[in-house]
Amino acid sequence: MAQQRKMILGAVARGIGSHVAAWRLPSVSPGKLKAATTLQHWADTARAAEAGKMHFVFLADLLAMPNAGHPALLSRSAFDFSLEPMTLLSALAPLTEKIGLVGSISTTYSEPYNVARLLASLDHLSGGRAGWNVVTSLDPASARNFGTGSFWRSSTATSAPRSSPGWSRACGIAGKTTHSSTTSATGSFSIPRRCIPCGTGRNISRWKGRST
Amino acid sequence: MHPLRHRSEHFQVEGPLNIERPPQGHPVVIVAGSSEGAKELAAEQADAMFTAQPDFEGARKFYADVKGRMAKYGRSPDELYLIPGAMVITGRTDGEAHEKHQTFKDAIDLEFGILYLSGLAQADLSRLPLDEPLPDALRQTPTWSRLELVMDISKQSGMTFRELAIHYADTYGHQFIVGSPKTVADELQRLFEARAADGFILRAPLYPEGITEIVSLVIPELQRRGLFQTEYRGNTLRENLGLPRPGHPAARRVEAPRAAE
């Protein structure tokens, strides 16, 4: 008799939550938001999924701040904590045993050799638990962070030289990661320098004192 | 040693990679999206496909469409898992789950919702009256086709613009399931058994709490129904997904090309 077909189940892990208003909940404290960039936070999610025998934990990825092309929208958005997936999954590998570690890597701005090395390394480090979600990055906000591609001419960010300091300036690393950078034409980096929610919505006032 | 010596219009990679062949042969490959290109690539090469399919009939058609494309690549439909995303908000009872959902809904910034819909429509909607349905005339807007579905939801449910803006921010166009373990399991089972999905990537409103709740409430219910594993089958992700370890590409070049077993 044929075995009963069974479901594949994966768990998304994504910062504070997948709901657009998670960061605005009264019960979500600044401390909890801050914790969303710690390894502990992501390990708790991955281990919870593993306790449920879920097949994999999945990290989506963007190469720009979400809504970066829409200053008004960005100013009312959660800071979308997003650590680089291969780095994070490699850190989760020794903290988990069986669960698959799946992350997105965009092919648009990556060389095949780099992608192959990252994935082969994760597969070795995790004992064969790596998965690659193949995505492209065709949005203008991502293009503006790489100084290349079809949006080259339309972006002021791309005038920065591709040398390291120029590059990091273009990404906003050396500049600002708080709400003040969100209207900057040079783009904002999607990993916080310090854990400060990026928004100017009404409810953000409670964090304003913490801005850099 | 088998240098890759890849040459194509876009990439030239000499190889070999300076890392030993990894445990899985190569990692599990997943294609995300719902475009024509994504469907074709998934049918030809992927082990799994992630997609957003908010409604039942659409998901069934999508499933049949993608699986139907596999034969021409010498693949059988069970060599690719179609895994749509689903947000799950659960509690011990339907009432508790809906109450939880309401706290998230209440926290939504209305102006964000309006800006978000404006972005999709590529038009400033902020001057439209909030307590009336969206005017049908908006359908004439050239870029509005992207929101045709949203307009339909609005019309069918009689939602006002205010309600629609909140609803869209709330669901983001994903499968959205709120309820007790039984309610959630019923819906996942319905999609699974109707061949609208081979499984799901579950999204939670809050991490890690939401995943902990899914694991303590919904998964035992799925396991009781025999729909979900109670143990991992192996050690690697491929083993756990029941996927074969791919042969070495160099070996494949020597032998005649054939479908994976």
Side-chain angles (χ1 to χ4, degrees):
Chain A
M1 208 169 82
Q3 260 195 322
Q4 185 183 357
R5 179 172 163 252
K6 290 207 189 326
M7 285 179 190
I8 306 294
L9 290 182
V12 170
R14 178 182 170 173
I16 194 74
S18 283
H19 194 279
V20 69
W23 66 292
R24 290 166 54 92
L25 286 187
S27 61
V28 171
S29 65
K32 182 163 167 69
L33 278 173
K34 185 167 178 159
T37 43
T38 61
L39 181 55
Q40 186 66 50
H41 171 82
W42 298 85
D44 285 347
T45 301
R47 283 169 169 163
E50 188 169 66
K53 314 297 177 195
M54 295 177 83
H55 290 89
F56 58 86
V57 61
F58 168 57
L59 305 179
D61 196 29
L62 282 176
L63 297 176
M65 185 80 88
N67 300 325
H70 307 277
L73 202 53
L74 181 55
S75 73
R76 309 192 75 90
S77 302
F79 190 98
D80 211 324
F81 297 106
S82 170
L83 297 180
E84 192 285 309
M86 293 301 121
T87 310
L88 177 52
L89 293 173
S90 298
L92 292 174
L95 302 178
T96 51
E97 280 177 36
K98 298 274 193 181
I99 195 163
L101 304 169
V102 178
S104 298
I105 306 179
S106 168
T107 56
T108 308
Y109 300 106
S110 307
E111 291 296 323
Y113 196 86
N114 293 136
V115 175
R117 278 188 98 194
L118 287 167
L119 288 165
S121 298
L122 177 61
D123 208 41
H124 278 293
L125 290 174
S126 63
R129 293 186 283 136
W132 175 28
N133 182 39
V134 184
V135 293
T136 52
S137 309
L138 304 179
D139 58 300
S142 296
R144 281 194 287 269
N145 287 337
F146 287 86
T148 183
S150 54
F151 296 89
W152 171 269
R153 284 169 206 84
S154 64
S155 165
T156 54
T158 56
S159 61
R162 294 196 77 186
S163 63
S164 184
W167 178 84
S168 56
R169 254 199 310 279
C171 289
I173 300 166
K176 309 144 277 186
T177 57
T178 64
H179 53 81
S180 58
S181 74
T182 58
T183 53
S184 155
T186 55
S188 35
F189 196 51
S190 57
I191 300 178
R193 184 171 56 172
R194 287 167 53 189
C195 299
I196 296 156
C198 186
T200 54
R202 283 184 301 271
N203 285 10
I204 202 68
S205 55
R206 58 182 158 150
W207 290 298
K208 273 196 171 160
R210 293 160 173 266
S211 303
T212 45
Chain B
M1 193 68 78
H2 303 277
L4 184 66
R5 297 204 177 100
H6 177 87
R7 297 271 182 279
S8 69
E9 187 191 342
H10 299 291
F11 299 111
Q12 293 81 44
V13 185
E14 178 65 18
L17 191 68
N18 55 345
I19 297 180
E20 191 179 341
R21 192 159 200 257
Q24 295 188 100
H26 64 70
V28 172
V29 174
I30 298 139
V31 168
S34 51
S35 67
E36 278 303 301
K39 286 192 266 193
E40 209 59 42
L41 181 63
E44 183 183 354
Q45 298 193 15
D47 298 308
M49 183 175 199
F50 292 167
T51 179
Q53 297 294 329
D55 79 289
F56 182 76
E57 270 313 313
R60 262 172 49 132
K61 280 191 192 124
F62 186 86
Y63 186 102
D65 179 7
V66 176
K67 299 257 175 165
R69 296 170 189 235
M70 295 176 70
K72 66 174 179 282
Y73 298 110
R75 304 182 75 201
S76 88
D78 54 8
E79 287 174 51
L80 170 71
Y81 294 117
L82 285 192
I83 312 182
M87 168 77 97
V88 170
I89 301 179
T90 190
R92 282 166 300 177
T93 61
D94 282 341
E96 193 181 293
H98 284 287
E99 209 171 287
K100 207 176 286 176
H101 178 208
Q102 194 59 45
T103 63
F104 283 91
K105 226 172 159 173
D106 289 345
I108 292 173
D109 172 7
L110 174 65
E111 285 178 52
F112 176 87
I114 292 168
L115 283 162
Y116 195 77
L117 284 185
S118 298
L120 277 190
Q122 291 176 16
D124 179 11
L125 307 182
S126 63
R127 284 168 208 280
L128 291 174
L130 278 169
D131 293 309
E132 294 168 25
L134 284 175
D136 254 355
L138 270 177
R139 289 186 195 262
Q140 312 302 318
T141 314
T143 55
W144 192 249
S145 65
R146 293 174 64 193
L147 276 186
E148 200 77 36
L149 187 71
V150 179
M151 290 290 284
D152 290 344
I153 295 171
S154 163
K155 192 151 194 156
Q156 281 159 22
S157 61
M159 275 188 218
T160 63
F161 179 31
R162 180 196 306 273
E163 289 162 342
L164 188 66
I166 296 290
H167 173 77
Y168 200 79
D170 189 33
T171 62
Y172 258 62
H174 280 271
Q175 184 82 236
F176 201 91
I177 309 172
V178 181
S180 67
K182 181 183 178 304
T183 302
V184 176
D186 282 351
E187 181 60 12
L188 296 179
Q189 182 169 10
R190 185 171 81 106
L191 287 156
F192 179 66
E193 289 181 346
R195 299 266 173 186
D198 293 313
F200 305 91
I201 325 177
L202 301 180
R203 298 147 48 84
L206 209 61
Y207 299 111
E209 294 87 342
I211 296 296
T212 305
E213 286 162 1
I214 288 169
V215 164
S216 61
L217 297 171
V218 177
I219 286 193
E221 180 63 28
L222 293 172
Q223 287 168 331
R224 263 194 295 279
R225 300 180 187 193
L227 290 166
F228 189 63
Q229 65 187 7
T230 53
E231 245 334 305
Y232 287 104
R233 291 156 70 169
N235 292 312
T236 71
L237 180 55
R238 282 189 177 280
E239 287 165 5
N240 284 318
L241 293 174
L243 295 168
R245 186 178 189 272
H248 194 287
R252 259 185 264 160
R253 278 202 294 273
V254 174
E255 295 167 30
R258 56 184 175 139
E261 265 135 25

